[in-house]
Amino acid sequence: MSRILVIDDERSIRRMLQVLLEGAGHTMISAEDASHGLHALAMEKPDLLILDLGLPDMDGLECLRRLREWSTVPVLILSARPDPADKVSALDLGADDYLTKPFDAPELLARLRALLRRVTTPDEQPVISIGILTIDLATHEARVDNQTVPLTPIEFSLLAQLARHAGRVLTHAHLLNAVWGPKATEQSHYLRVHFTHLRRKLRDAGLDAEVIRNEPGIGYRLMLEDDPRT
Amino acid sequence: MSRILVIDDERSIRRMLQVLLEGAGHTMISAEDASHGLHALAMEKPDLLILDLGLPDMDGLECLRRLREWSTVPVLILSARPDPADKVSALDLGADDYLTKPFDAPELLARLRALLRRVTTPDEQPVISIGILTIDLATHEARVDNQTVPLTPIEFSLLAQLARHAGRVLTHAHLLNAVWGPKATEQSHYLRVHFTHLRRKLRDAGLDAEVIRNEPGIGYRLMLEDDPRT
DNA sequence: TACCTTCTTAGCGCAATCTTAACGCCAAAC
DNA sequence: GTTTGGCGTTAAGATTGCGCTAAGAAGGTA
């Protein structure tokens, strides 16, 4: 998901954050003091910085001030001091959020998500790419070879459902529920008709229609790669 | 400095925030329940929203979810419940920060400054140009070939909405919220009528009316270039 | 008051899309 | 070898969504 730099001198905290962040799908880079941290920030260009204020070689606030002279990376401060005045100085020096130790792990992750969401540019939309097929959830566009395939609303949402869980089988009931609502979970013939249309349009656009595969009696799946196990 | 909307049902809190915010140089707008708050958000377009989760007419999280369907305003949550799980849900529904009552006034102000600093992006240009069409958000003027096109307020704000997100599909609900407010999210026939008028005026001014394209069942989009597919 | 602009509401026709039904195919089960 | 259930395909109504027009309603101004 995102690359996160942690500057903290305590090995145990770094360990704990590593488990936490990688468990959430992020990549973690770490540094154990301010000078290495600033160097890593310049070299690695992470998406976000978690900064402990209690560093051995430099005051944490000073570190923050220096990096803000040239970097706009979002910064979440970790600190053992719960004094509100500390929070105010850190936030005014350019920090984006401030958590006091001990912190609640799910809350930390949620605050990271909030920061990353705010920072990722709005045109960096959720786009799913599978081979030459790309599905843009925000603009409701499906492209093959960068050529837009005109899909109807139902066709698009079927494809989007499959793409969201690419490679896995989605049951008839799941697809019907997601596209037509809970009242249609029995109408599996809808799927046969609309998948015919969808496959035809994808084939006309130059895509191997085998990418949408049927699992008899179960449902449908979108193949991730050309995986020629019959 | 900034215009801040406060949605809170307690008069005493609103009073206190008023003193606090205006003392810091901001302008405060307030609403005492969710429905008035959503209305004020659509009408006043504040720079930031402070939302209390304990509202009389609607669950605060529901209110947040609704406004996030069409607004990207930064939101700071105020809540009496310190449960971390509440924080996680609110942050994941689109909140940017979360403070529990009672809060420290200077910390609140600092967190507001941090949010506003992060959000006030210099890239919101007052003039948007797409081909021979230019839209001046400051003077509320639309020009084709440097010739002013006389638009009514609703027509202009529809066009401005599309232009702000040129190339992307804006859903019916998004447009209706942005132009008419949250009470009109179902009245999609408004869009048909006013887009007819808008397209006619643009066509009379010499612009290809195809620049405003309909995505059936979804919404409308402003085409970026002449993209003669189909 | 009268006039003018703008917005709201209703209704019509058309085209795109969806639903429904019917038919043939295939593979597994009997 | 026959039957049966699930699937793909096609085509015909039925429905929906859209563009458009026009007639009130509302609000502002002289």
Side-chain angles (χ1 to χ4, degrees):
Chain A
M1 287 248 292
S2 300
R3 298 172 60 251
I4 298 179
L5 171 62
V6 172
I7 310 182
D8 196 312
D9 60 323
E10 286 182 62
R11 176 187 295 260
S12 61
I13 299 269
R14 291 204 304 275
R15 280 266 177 79
M16 191 258 271
L17 285 174
Q18 177 127 27
V19 172
L20 196 61
L21 296 177
E22 299 193 341
H26 302 291
T27 309
M28 171 171 153
I29 311 153
S30 64
E32 59 186 6
D33 59 36
S35 57
H36 286 94
L38 290 173
H39 189 256
L41 180 63
M43 292 296 104
E44 302 279 351
K45 303 195 185 311
D47 301 309
L48 191 142
L49 169 62
I50 296 178
L51 175 63
D52 190 321
L53 282 192
L55 295 176
D57 61 333
M58 186 190 298
D59 178 48
L61 293 181
E62 175 61 20
C63 177
L64 180 59
R65 185 191 346 258
R66 288 220 198 152
L67 73 90
R68 269 291 176 258
E69 287 173 5
W70 56 275
S71 170
T72 60
V73 66
V75 175
L76 184 145
I77 299 287
L78 273 187
S79 168
R81 292 179 297 187
D83 182 0
D86 286 335
K87 301 190 188 182
V88 172
S89 357
L91 290 168
D92 279 340
L93 277 172
D96 293 286
D97 205 342
Y98 191 107
L99 270 183
T100 50
K101 292 191 277 194
F103 55 84
D104 179 64
E107 179 181 350
L108 173 69
L109 290 176
R111 285 186 180 272
L112 293 183
R113 284 193 293 273
L115 275 178
L116 289 167
R117 175 189 347 117
R118 182 55 78 182
V119 167
T120 20
T121 56
D123 48 28
E124 189 167 339
Q125 313 138 15
V127 175
I128 302 170
S129 289
I130 292 141
I132 58 171
L133 172 69
T134 66
I135 292 130
D136 189 323
L137 269 16
T139 67
H140 278 251
E141 266 186 337
R143 284 185 291 275
V144 172
D145 271 336
N146 260 330
Q147 200 75 26
T148 301
V149 183
L151 297 182
T152 71
I154 283 189
E155 288 158 10
F156 182 86
S157 67
L158 279 176
L159 183 58
Q161 277 299 318
L162 289 183
R164 254 195 270 269
H165 312 278
R168 319 184 64 158
V169 182
L170 298 186
T171 63
H172 299 146
H174 178 112
L175 288 166
L176 288 164
N177 184 50
V179 176
W180 282 270
K183 285 173 191 158
T185 47
E186 312 277 307
Q187 319 275 332
S188 55
H189 54 280
Y190 285 10
L191 297 176
R192 297 205 288 279
V193 171
H194 289 283
F195 272 122
T196 295
H197 297 157
L198 179 54
R199 285 200 260 230
R200 159 160 204 123
K201 287 185 181 176
L202 293 179
R203 205 181 316 124
D204 288 352
L207 193 73
D208 181 9
E210 285 288 305
V211 289
I212 296 177
R213 202 171 287 197
N214 171 259
E215 303 287 334
I218 310 291
Y220 292 81
R221 84 158 89 182
L222 189 65
M223 301 309 289
L224 272 176
E225 297 294 325
D226 300 87
D227 179 7
R229 65 154 183 255
T230 302
Chain B
M1 285 241 293
S2 300
R3 299 171 61 249
I4 298 179
L5 171 62
V6 172
I7 308 182
D8 197 312
D9 59 325
E10 286 182 62
R11 178 186 293 261
S12 59
I13 300 269
R14 293 203 303 273
R15 281 265 177 78
M16 191 256 270
L17 285 174
Q18 178 127 28
V19 173
L20 197 61
L21 295 177
E22 298 194 341
H26 302 292
T27 309
M28 170 170 153
I29 312 154
S30 67
E32 59 186 7
D33 58 38
S35 59
H36 288 93
L38 289 172
H39 190 256
L41 180 63
M43 293 297 106
E44 303 280 351
K45 303 194 187 308
D47 301 308
L48 191 141
L49 169 62
I50 296 179
L51 175 64
D52 189 320
L53 282 193
L55 295 175
D57 62 332
M58 188 189 298
D59 179 49
L61 293 180
E62 173 63 18
C63 179
L64 178 60
R65 197 183 59 76
R66 287 220 200 152
L67 72 91
R68 270 292 177 256
E69 287 175 7
W70 57 276
S71 172
T72 59
V73 66
V75 174
L76 184 145
I77 299 287
L78 274 186
S79 169
R81 291 178 297 186
D83 182 359
D86 286 336
K87 300 190 189 181
V88 173
S89 342
L91 291 168
D92 279 340
L93 275 171
D96 292 282
D97 205 342
Y98 191 109
L99 271 182
T100 49
K101 293 192 277 195
F103 55 84
D104 179 64
E107 179 181 349
L108 173 69
L109 289 176
R111 285 185 180 272
L112 292 182
R113 284 193 293 274
L115 273 179
L116 289 167
R117 166 176 11 104
R118 179 57 75 183
V119 165
T120 312
T121 47
D123 56 9
E124 174 83 276
Q125 307 146 352
V127 177
I128 300 169
S129 289
I130 293 143
I132 57 171
L133 172 68
T134 66
I135 292 130
D136 190 325
L137 297 174
T139 66
H140 277 231
E141 261 188 342
R143 284 185 291 275
V144 173
D145 271 337
N146 263 328
Q147 201 76 25
T148 299
V149 182
L151 297 182
T152 70
I154 283 188
E155 287 158 10
F156 182 85
S157 77
L158 279 176
L159 183 58
Q161 278 298 318
L162 289 184
R164 256 194 273 265
H165 311 278
R168 307 181 53 177
V169 182
L170 298 186
T171 62
H172 299 145
H174 180 113
L175 289 166
L176 289 164
N177 261 308
V179 177
W180 282 272
K183 285 174 188 155
T185 45
E186 314 275 308
Q187 318 275 327
S188 55
H189 53 279
Y190 285 12
L191 297 176
R192 298 207 291 276
V193 172
H194 290 282
F195 271 122
T196 296
H197 297 157
L198 178 54
R199 284 201 259 229
R200 164 165 200 118
K201 288 185 181 176
L202 293 178
R203 206 182 312 125
D204 288 352
L207 193 73
D208 181 8
E210 284 286 304
V211 289
I212 297 177
R213 203 171 286 198
N214 170 259
E215 303 288 333
I218 310 292
Y220 292 81
R221 84 161 82 192
L222 189 64
M223 299 309 288
L224 273 176
E225 298 293 326
D226 300 87
D227 179 6
R229 62 157 180 250
T230 308

